[in-house]
Amino acid sequence: MFVRLSLLVLVIAFVVGLAARPSGSAGRPVSYVVKPTDTLWSIAAKNYAGDPREGIWQLQQRNHLHGATLVPGQRLVLP
């Protein structure tokens, strides 16, 4: 009885794991053109839910930024 139940749970977990796989692509990346008054904080606050500090970190990682300096007209890829 215990072996059958364990096997059933294992099979169900496997099926759920297959169904819950990530899609691999969320679509085309969205770019953002920096305006004269923009900061990383303001861009993150407008485009990400939750704590803007996480959005800032994602923006810096995605765009290979080493600081917080932005130039008007600069294109950023929103993660």
Side-chain angles (χ1 to χ4, degrees):
M1 177 73 180
F2 181 73
V3 174
R4 287 183 186 172
L5 182 61
S6 297
L7 187 58
L8 178 64
V9 169
L10 198 60
V11 169
I12 290 172
F14 180 73
V15 170
V16 169
L18 287 176
R21 289 187 330 205
S23 67
S25 178
R28 296 179 52 169
V30 177
S31 64
Y32 180 83
V33 179
V34 176
K35 298 177 187 85
T37 58
D38 281 339
T39 63
L40 284 175
W41 186 277
S42 67
I43 295 168
K46 280 189 260 183
N47 294 292
Y48 299 100
D51 191 358
R53 291 175 288 190
E54 177 67 25
I56 290 170
W57 184 83
Q58 289 179 9
L59 282 167
Q60 288 175 324
Q61 295 299 311
R62 179 72 166 108
N63 293 286
H64 307 289
L65 301 175
H66 299 291
T69 305
L70 298 176
V71 179
Q74 180 180 1
R75 287 190 178 273
L76 298 176
V77 177
L78 301 178

